[in-house]
Amino acid sequence: MPERPIQQHSLFDTSIEAEGPIVPSRIPSTSPFHQPRALTEAQREKFRQMSRESREARRSALAGEGPAPIHEINLPNFHPLDLMPQRDGKGLTALSLFSGGGGLDLGVERAGFTHTASFEIMPEAGDTLRKARSDWAVFSGETDGDVRRVNFKQWRGDVDLLHGGPPCQPFSNAGRQKGHLDERDMWPQFVRAVKEIRPAAFIGENVPALASPKFSDYVSTSIMAPLSGSYHIQKIILQASDFGVPQVRRRVFFIGFRTKKLANAWSAPQPTHYWGDASIAGGERCMGLREALGLPDIGVDDLSPTIRSSLTGPRHTTSILNSVAAQRKFESLQIWPNGVAADRASARAFVAKNGHFRLSVPDVALIQGFPEDWPFVGATYMALGQIGNAVPPPLAYAVASSVLDVLSK
Ligand SMILES: C[S@@+](CC[C@H](N)C(=O)[O-])C[C@H]1O[C@@H](n2cnc3c(N)ncnc32)[C@H](O)[C@@H]1O
């Protein structure tokens, strides 16, 4: 099928002229990240029109009124749980902050830790965790899940591993990079929790931009200085595809141990997988995106570009596109990354204008290294938001396993 030009008015479209005063968004959101764009009524109306058109196109496709489907329902080859054999942590416990839809939590659990409690402000993400693990103590929503309201001293001495990925928006290249000036900067809360609980170890995760020179003062002042008196802290940047996840996604981890003995015994996780020609001794080949999703061979495959969370931008969308470069990469892979469908049957029925393979929520979950049946709760953009915010579980597993190796000795 010949390729058609990409859809107009995409996420990166700047062609809509500003006319008149700025008006507030009418879209309600439970996401603490949502920072609507400053738009005029004319601009908002243009976006509303796009949404109406795309809703109508989806409705008619799902009612069988659209073009005939051209792709079979895919049967993935990638099974993330195979990358995370369940380990026995012999009763070692973990407490999770900023748990989101549970990427870090799942990796930590498979590495052998038992969760004492998980805290997450978004109600839908809390529901995801409860649905996935009915035996976890999940605290969610503004009253129970907001870490700012929690007195962590109640767990002092009772938690082996404290982990969390404070919101990355203050540091992300995709955001305004206001660091500690951003009211969403929750690192001070992570630091407070470490000081109040005094776990044997902690793992703090974030976007690699936090390890860039721009934020070196921030890291020294807000993370290292308050904790390095009582913890030995190491910082590592890891790539998800080095651990078998078919996506280019780098993340920084701050790993702290309360004693020097534990810190000296720790070694950073080593890559288990490679992509392309960069073969490593004893390593396995990471699947490309098409192979992972079980799509037919078109003679070209590659890792997925870094996917974005649909909650973090100024608009809640069902697109996982991060950049124009990502858009080109998906085009070369003949995959349509906008208007992600709730499930595979709907993705098949809603034929993309250029005939490329339309993604579904379970497909995007796989791209992020979640088992495809991880039960994300909420509308499609909400599920995609939880997925896009997550640490790929196999990457979390590698880091948590390296900590378990030390704590269980
Ligand atoms: C980067 S995401 C974490 C993703 C998670 N680590 C995972 O792997 O799935 C950050 C999370 O922090 C949550 N959050 C933001 N402010 C919070 C607060 N004050 N209390 C609790 N959670 C908060 C957000 O809703 C979001 O789900």
Side-chain angles (χ1 to χ4, degrees), residues 32-33 98-100 102-104 120-122 145-147 165 167 186 389-391:
F33 309 126
F98 313 105
S99 316
L104 198 42
E120 165 56 47
I121 203 165
M122 262 192 305
D146 188 341
V147 298
M186 290 289 145
N389 266 337
V391 182

Side-chain angles (χ1 to χ4, degrees), residues 234-409:
Q234 325 214 29
K235 184 178 73 182
I236 46 170
I237 294 182
L238 299 176
Q239 170 65 266
S241 60
D242 286 346
F243 298 89
V245 177
Q247 184 191 163
V248 176
R249 190 178 188 87
R250 289 163 70 242
R251 283 298 180 261
V252 63
F253 295 87
F254 294 87
I255 298 166
F257 290 100
R258 212 175 51 212
T259 67
K260 193 165 188 191
K261 190 171 167 220
L262 289 172
N264 287 344
W266 179 78
S267 45
Q270 294 305 306
T272 54
H273 288 69
Y274 62 91
W275 171 252
D277 298 330
S279 147
I280 48 168
E284 277 183 51
R285 194 180 56 81
C286 182
M287 287 183 207
L289 180 54
R290 288 193 66 94
E291 181 185 357
L293 295 181
L295 304 183
D297 187 354
I298 56 167
V300 50
D301 205 354
D302 207 339
L303 298 173
S304 166
T306 308
I307 63 172
R308 73 181 271 274
S309 165
S310 55
L311 295 175
T312 52
R315 297 178 67 222
H316 288 337
T317 71
T318 49
S319 167
I320 57 165
L321 272 186
N322 217 355
S323 64
V324 173
Q327 187 164 336
R328 292 202 190 101
K329 176 59 70 185
F330 280 117
E331 275 201 323
S332 72
L333 294 173
Q334 298 184 20
I335 290 175
W336 182 245
N338 304 302
V340 173
D343 53 58
R344 294 205 170 103
S346 312
R348 177 174 185 267
F350 188 13
V351 177
K353 279 189 188 158
N354 60 3
H356 288 178
F357 176 83
R358 185 184 293 278
L359 291 167
S360 61
V361 169
D363 289 332
V364 179
L366 279 179
I367 299 176
Q368 194 70 308
F370 279 94
E372 58 177 310
D373 59 354
W374 193 255
F376 293 103
V377 173
T380 300
Y381 79 86
M382 204 26 114
L384 293 173
Q386 294 167 53
I387 297 172
N389 266 337
V391 182
L395 182 56
Y397 177 83
V399 177
S401 275
S402 73
V403 173
L404 183 89
D405 288 344
V406 172
L407 297 189
S408 61
K409 264 187 195 150

